Amino acid sequence: MSNERHILLLPGSLRAGSANETVLRTAAAVAATTPGLRTTYYTGLAGLPHFNPDHDTDPLPEPVAALRAAIEAADALLVCTPEYAGTLPGSFKNLLDWTVGGVEISDKPAAWINAAGPGRGLGAEAALRTVLGYTGAAVLDEACVRIPLERGAVGPDGLVADPLVRERIGEVLARLAGRHA
């Protein structure tokens, strides 16, 4: 039996190079240097069909089946999403809607990193708490953090260069993995 912990990284933004993508790609880089920890960066957000309860039956649409399989294969979930119009972006809410009819997310540790500037992103956090709670995810409050990302903090490789920010991201991963940081 492996002690390795697998965290699925769920970006809530479709924009290439977004702060949210940068945070999660940095989380993957931090995890790659942490023994016993691995991540998978979910890339299927844009390919999910619009949620329709009539299609939430076997066989599921392939992109939905792939999403649910990725959730099932993970030990925990880490979300980083922007706020749009005071709540979650529609595309990410659509992803979460597709998880309601399955059991893969039930009791799965979940957390988020809010990369928005001060005073922003609170609507997205509230919506995440509501929807993840509704799906049965085990939201780990101690792993839900605000780490505002300044554009100047991003290195030429597209990852967060600031060692203190990388350390905070590592602490979130450790908490999600069940290791106290």
Side-chain angles (χ1 to χ4, degrees):
M1 187 156 197
S2 171
N3 286 339
E4 181 177 74
R5 302 292 288 168
H6 175 212
I7 299 174
L8 181 62
L9 306 174
L10 293 170
S13 178
L14 292 171
R15 189 169 60 87
S18 72
N20 304 282
E21 177 183 323
T22 298
V23 166
L24 291 179
R25 297 254 183 231
T26 302
V30 169
T33 64
T34 305
L37 190 59
R38 76 179 171 93
T39 61
T40 299
Y41 187 93
Y42 178 72
T43 59
L45 182 62
L48 289 171
H50 295 293
F51 177 72
N52 180 339
D54 292 338
H55 299 152
D56 195 3
T57 60
D58 287 328
L60 288 168
E62 190 283 323
V64 175
L67 167 66
R68 289 188 181 174
I71 292 170
E72 179 68 28
D75 296 306
L77 310 173
L78 179 59
V79 173
C80 193
T81 184
E83 179 177 276
Y84 189 75
T87 190
L88 297 171
S91 56
F92 192 69
K93 175 63 168 66
N94 183 59
L95 177 150
L96 293 173
D97 286 345
W98 278 112
T99 69
V100 172
V103 297
E104 301 82 7
I105 205 168
S106 294
D107 298 321
K108 189 141 326 220
W112 57 81
I113 295 175
N114 180 341
R120 300 183 58 101
L122 299 176
E125 284 184 34
L128 276 172
R129 181 171 304 285
T130 298
V131 178
L132 288 173
Y134 188 82
T135 65
V139 174
L140 298 181
D141 289 328
E142 66 274 14
C144 297
V145 300
R146 295 183 60 83
I147 305 176
L149 185 63
E150 303 289 332
R151 279 290 165 198
V154 180
D157 59 358
L159 302 176
V160 176
D162 184 325
L164 295 176
V165 173
R166 290 175 75 99
E167 181 179 329
R168 288 196 64 207
I169 292 170
E171 290 168 359
V172 169
L173 292 169
R175 289 179 181 130
L176 271 173
R179 301 176 185 139
H180 298 288

